[in-house]
Amino acid sequence: MAKSEEFATAVGDGGETHQQIPKKGPHTAEAHLTTNQGIRVSDNQNSLKAGARGPTLLEDFVLREKIFHFDHERIPERIVHARGSAAHGYFENYKSLADITKADLFQRPGEKTPLFTRFSTVAGGAGSVDTPRDVRGFAVKFYTKEGNWDLVGNNIPVFFIQDAIKFPDLVHAVKMEADRAFPQAGSAHDTFWDWASLMPESTHMLMWAMSDRTIPRSLRMIEGFGVHTFQMVNAKGKVTFVKFHWRPKLGIQSTVWDESLKLQAADNDYHRRDLWESIAMGAFPEWELGIQAFDQKLADSLPYDVLDPTKIIPEEVVPLRMIGRMVLDRNPDNFFAETEQVAYCPANIVPGIDFTNDPLLQGRLFSYLDTQKSRLGTANFHQIPVNAPKCPVMNFQRDGQMQMNVPKGRANYEPNSLTAHGEEGGPRECPMTGFVTANAVTGEDEQGEKLRVRPELFADHYSQARQFWKSMTENEQAHIASSFVFELSKVGLEQVPARMIANLRNVDEDLAKRVADGMNLDLPKKAQARREVIDLDPSPALSIQKKMKKTLEGRKVGILYADGSDEAEIKAVRNAVEKDGGTVFLVAPKVGGAKVKGGALLKADGQLAGSPSQLFDAVAVVLSAKGCEMLLTEGAAVQFVMDAFGHLKAIGANDASQPLLDKAGVVADDGVTGLGKDFVAAAQQRFFEREPSVRLLA
Ligand code: HDE
């Protein structure tokens, strides 16, 4: 307990409080507590009462202001992407991209543009868990010298729907069900699959959603995509189509489903914490920005429409050109002020970049601005620091709730001739450097009848879903089939699983059969495809496992030790892991640590019961014979090893720990090693070939 002389009893007007207030602290002469009106507060412990036991007085403006402000602390959470984490950073341009775009941020090699990036899950509320099966939002606000550019993407390059008019239906179906308000953050429920099974256009996205893409190991290890086709425009007005890709420096990596489920219990904030801690310790997350650039001729040669957001262009068809990197190097100072209040909007675009007629993108251009008014409460939300451009903002828009600026003079209209009369006339439009819509530049004619239709090629709902399936490793295919089974197993509407499997028969007969088997159903009649399914070549770039990086960078190794463990052995593992860029977390059965050989206390980073192996990429077990014997009766220790094995992780152990490995059902394979070099090599990867021995997959 702290020494009593460091505390004083607070005394207010009316008498003593029962609380002890630290005497030392920031309340020096310069740091007085005040109300929001700047009036110094004499007592922050007691409200104003008529007598010590009397009623509280309405007159107490200090109390009323404090409670009033508190009552209004929350703003509506985002209807989708409510749960998120963000960070500040910068974009560094590699070389001049002037051949493709006149956008200022891409002109000069090495130039840095500040940015703010928010990652999110889609379905869950703001307080939901970090690791449900879900798409991850990947939204970047670039504060360029020419205004804000928001690239508001996802970690999956396609979307569920082709037309904005279906978005409210999709979101209603996937979020918690309307009457019961569950499930909180997952798609494994009736309404989502009822809707999805009736929407063949969602099939391609469903394949991605059921793949390991939606259970990432870390936000630092996800890819990002702009999804829609955009345009870039160079100084001569030449238009190039582009698709945006973010590639994580640490490589893409996912968890396995069982691990993801258990992470929901082990640490609700697993991704949020990981992002925060890595930035706090200076291991700055980094991505490269790549574009696929192509022209109308290439677009016309493709068997699908580049305006269709349910389609990708495989990298094997249009390779990526890497144009710069993003580094996230600063955690927010305040979650609410920055992460909660940041207002992304795909319509925020700078000269040199432009939209296309993708009907989903067109709908988004309206939606985001609209939503900010309801979330942030005022049309002046752009004045909030995290949203404010870092270049001059000058126009004749005025007033509105929470106007923070004090515009001077009479010029709030245009044209005006106030300048001629000696007053400030205000800014003028800039035809040369202002934003000009790309089609106006090219003179392309966009006219047509008013129709509620879709282009014919949009009707191919299955060819790319099949291509995705064919591009996976065998193990990834098994994960996809098993996810369909898991999700559909949670559906109580009898007709829905069969309807979904009938769609899947158009993707791949084997997939449909495996899902039907897993569901104990007969194979239903194949759903009628609107267009013939074409066999596209596999795209290896779509597989996670084919391109996972073998590295310890950004990875965490958990070392389990107990009383009697050999500190030298622990140190050797730590040094080897850290030398290769990994971090180490020491886990002991008791809070505080364990007495290692020789009797010294070795401090632990976490207690076994609260530090299951889900939290680590690989584990080392360093026990003495006695310590091991003791842990044989500790379920958390057995589970620690069993889960590491089941989650396909490397397990390094000394000889004395073997009985624990045996009890946990560990069978020797390439991922089960001693504590030497072979462990450090094994810890850089997962052992997918182990999986058939640990679980039955569909
Ligand atoms: Fe969004 N989306 N969306 N979306 N979206 C929102 O904006 C919307 C779509 C995405 O970290 C909302 O500020 C419509 C595709 C991200 O703050 C809302 C349509 C993609 C984020 C909205 C789409 C996204 C949002 C909710 C179909 C990937 C989080 C609160 C026409 C390319 C941004 C908000 C953040 C957020 C509408 C489809 C990504 C309601 C109408 C496709 C990453 O305005």
Side-chain angles (χ1 to χ4, degrees):
M1 200 175 144
K3 280 185 263 158
S4 58
E5 58 266 29
E6 288 174 1
F7 293 84
T9 301
V11 180
D13 284 344
E16 288 189 354
T17 179
H18 296 276
Q19 266 178 282
Q20 287 188 311
I21 313 296
K23 246 173 114 183
K24 285 183 191 153
H27 54 292
T28 57
E30 303 81 49
H32 288 292
L33 201 62
T34 74
T35 68
N36 285 335
Q37 304 300 329
I39 290 122
R40 285 187 185 177
V41 174
S42 62
D43 181 346
N44 194 31
Q45 319 307 321
N46 303 292
S47 50
L48 190 67
K49 298 175 206 79
R53 300 181 62 244
T56 303
L57 298 177
L58 201 57
E59 183 189 325
D60 189 351
F61 66 92
V62 178
L63 168 74
R64 277 193 293 115
E65 184 203 72
K66 188 172 175 183
I67 301 278
F68 154 80
H69 197 275
F70 168 77
D71 287 347
H72 300 277
E73 275 180 4
R74 285 293 160 272
I75 59 174
E77 66 175 41
R78 292 164 175 85
I79 163 68
V80 277
H81 297 269
R83 182 167 179 83
S85 316
H88 295 274
Y90 60 85
F91 173 75
E92 185 177 353
N93 191 46
Y94 285 164
K95 319 194 235 197
S96 168
L97 200 60
D99 57 326
I100 296 187
T101 179
K102 62 183 178 189
D104 184 69
L105 79 159
F106 295 126
Q107 301 306 307
R108 293 161 295 276
E111 175 147 335
K112 289 182 180 170
T113 301
L115 50 75
F116 188 71
T117 298
R118 181 174 180 270
F119 304 102
S120 46
T121 55
V122 178
S128 58
V129 293
D130 270 355
T131 56
R133 177 176 294 285
D134 199 357
V135 181
R136 297 303 187 284
F138 194 127
V140 184
K141 188 182 283 293
F142 298 82
Y143 304 97
T144 87
K145 290 177 183 152
E146 295 178 319
N148 288 352
W149 171 41
D150 292 0
L151 184 55
V152 193
N154 279 342
N155 75 329
I156 288 181
V158 288
F159 202 62
F160 291 99
I161 50 171
Q162 296 174 323
D163 191 307
I165 202 167
K166 295 312 298 166
F167 192 65
D169 298 302
L170 159 68
V171 174
H172 287 172
V174 73
K175 285 200 72 115
M176 57 191 190
E177 297 189 3
D179 54 355
R180 57 211 70 182
F182 59 80
Q184 284 284 321
S187 54
H189 59 113
D190 284 9
T191 55
F192 176 69
W193 287 99
D194 184 31
W195 178 87
S197 63
L198 293 166
M199 291 287 291
E201 75 195 56
S202 68
T203 312
H204 187 197
M205 178 73 168
L206 289 174
M207 297 295 293
W208 286 80
M210 294 304 106
S211 79
D212 298 339
R213 294 265 173 172
T214 44
I215 45 170
R217 151 69 180 88
S218 158
L219 296 171
R220 299 177 289 146
M221 299 169 202
I222 60 173
E223 293 184 344
F225 303 90
V227 176
H228 315 281
T229 300
F230 289 86
Q231 301 182 83
M232 279 188 160
V233 191
N234 70 12
K236 293 191 180 124
K238 186 171 164 257
V239 168
T240 306
F241 290 125
V242 288
K243 284 201 169 261
F244 293 105
H245 297 248
W246 291 108
R247 289 291 151 88
K249 189 179 162 209
L250 295 176
I252 181 168
Q253 193 184 318
S254 289
T255 54
V256 294
W257 178 231
D258 183 68
E259 181 186 9
S260 182
L261 283 173
K262 288 177 175 158
L263 273 169
Q264 295 181 23
D267 185 0
N268 287 346
D269 307 302
Y270 184 61
H271 284 157
R272 177 174 286 192
R273 192 188 307 278
D274 168 270
L275 184 69
W276 178 276
E277 285 180 350
S278 67
I279 295 174
M281 70 183 181
F284 302 139
E286 194 175 319
W287 286 259
E288 275 198 300
L289 180 62
I291 53 169
Q292 287 179 294
F294 56 99
D295 57 13
Q296 187 67 52
K297 201 164 144 229
L298 185 119
D300 292 341
S301 73
L302 300 171
Y304 37 85
D305 196 323
V306 298
L307 297 185
D308 177 351
T310 67
K311 306 291 190 291
I312 58 161
I313 302 178
E315 276 173 55
E316 292 77 5
V317 176
V318 178
L320 258 60
R321 171 171 165 182
M322 292 309 188
I323 61 174
R325 65 182 190 126
M326 167 170 74
V327 179
L328 298 181
D329 61 356
R330 184 160 67 86
N331 279 317
D333 289 317
N334 184 275
F335 183 86
F336 181 84
E338 302 182 282
T339 311
E340 194 59 10
Q341 291 199 116
V342 65
Y344 293 97
C345 179
N348 291 349
I349 208 144
V350 289
I353 305 173
D354 211 332
F355 319 116
T356 59
N357 288 342
D358 173 337
L360 195 66
L361 176 59
Q362 293 282 319
R364 295 180 73 203
L365 301 182
F366 161 73
S367 173
Y368 291 65
L369 186 60
D370 188 51
T371 215
Q372 306 314 343
K373 170 67 183 58
S374 106
R375 291 196 62 237
L376 300 165
T378 163
N380 289 319
F381 70 85
H382 59 278
Q383 295 179 3
I384 296 171
V386 72
N387 295 321
K390 296 192 194 299
C391 65
V393 174
M394 289 173 281
N395 57 42
F396 298 101
Q397 292 168 31
R398 290 288 184 274
D399 307 344
Q401 280 179 358
M402 308 305 285
Q403 170 60 268
M404 298 292 165
N405 300 328
V406 185
K408 290 188 180 143
R410 293 193 290 171
N412 60 358
Y413 60 96
E414 191 271 344
N416 69 57
S417 67
L418 293 172
T419 317
H421 301 280
E423 294 183 48
E424 283 294 326
R428 294 290 183 263
E429 61 202 14
C430 26
M432 299 307 291
T433 53
F435 184 87
V436 182
T437 293
N439 288 326
V441 175
T442 57
E444 201 176 286
D445 199 5
E446 286 188 9
Q447 285 180 6
E449 287 172 64
K450 293 179 181 170
L451 299 166
R452 289 189 187 273
V453 295
R454 295 189 192 184
E456 182 47 36
L457 275 183
F458 276 41
D460 178 356
H461 301 316
Y462 299 115
S463 301
Q464 285 208 347
R466 182 201 292 264
Q467 178 183 43
F468 184 77
W469 172 255
K470 286 185 354 190
S471 308
M472 298 292 108
T473 64
E474 246 180 63
N475 182 255
E476 286 173 318
Q477 288 185 337
H479 288 175
I480 293 173
S482 303
S483 315
F484 272 111
V485 173
F486 178 91
E487 296 262 320
L488 292 172
S489 77
K490 302 276 180 184
V491 173
L493 299 172
E494 214 183 307
Q495 67 280 23
V496 169
R499 197 197 290 145
M500 193 60 231
I501 296 165
N503 284 342
L504 292 182
R505 288 191 66 179
N506 285 304
V507 178
D508 185 85
E509 287 290 0
D510 180 47
L511 166 65
K513 203 167 149 311
R514 286 157 75 173
V515 179
D517 277 354
M519 295 294 298
N520 247 329
L521 289 173
D522 294 333
L523 202 61
K525 199 167 152 268
K526 194 172 176 171
Q528 177 75 41
R530 265 279 313 278
R531 283 178 71 90
E532 195 191 333
V533 183
I534 38 180
D535 250 319
L536 299 164
D537 290 337
S539 163
L542 302 183
S543 157
I544 298 177
Q545 289 181 9
K546 282 181 200 162
K547 62 180 180 187
M548 247 172 81
K549 273 194 185 168
K550 278 191 185 168
T551 175
L552 265 176
E553 239 189 282
R555 273 68 179 180
K556 206 184 240 183
V557 173
I559 303 181
L560 176 61
Y561 70 108
D563 286 351
S565 292
D566 184 346
E567 189 173 1
E569 275 186 311
I570 298 171
K571 260 200 182 146
V573 177
R574 175 193 280 283
N575 292 344
V577 169
E578 289 177 348
K579 192 165 151 269
D580 274 21
T583 51
V584 163
F585 192 97
L586 295 184
V587 182
K590 281 191 188 162
V591 181
K595 281 190 183 142
V596 287
K597 199 164 91 186
L601 179 79
L602 179 63
K603 219 171 150 280
D605 300 303
Q607 189 211 359
L608 178 56
S611 312
S613 62
Q614 286 84 261
L615 302 179
F616 313 114
D617 294 283
V619 300
V621 188
V622 189
L623 300 171
S624 64
K626 219 169 145 207
C628 182
E629 198 187 319
M630 191 250 310
L631 287 187
L632 289 178
T633 56
E634 168 55 270
V638 180
Q639 201 65 45
F640 186 92
V641 177
M642 188 184 278
D643 276 343
F645 191 67
H647 300 153
L648 318 178
K649 294 171 182 174
I651 301 175
N654 58 359
D655 290 345
S657 304
Q658 192 58 41
L660 184 64
L661 269 59
D662 292 340
K663 186 155 186 193
V666 172
V667 181
D669 65 19
D670 291 349
V672 182
T673 66
L675 292 176
K677 273 193 189 142
D678 46 347
F679 172 63
V680 179
Q684 307 189 354
Q685 55 177 312
R686 297 275 179 123
F687 295 87
F688 298 107
E689 58 283 4
R690 183 191 293 161
E691 194 155 31
S693 73
V694 292
R695 67 180 56 87
L696 293 171
L697 291 168

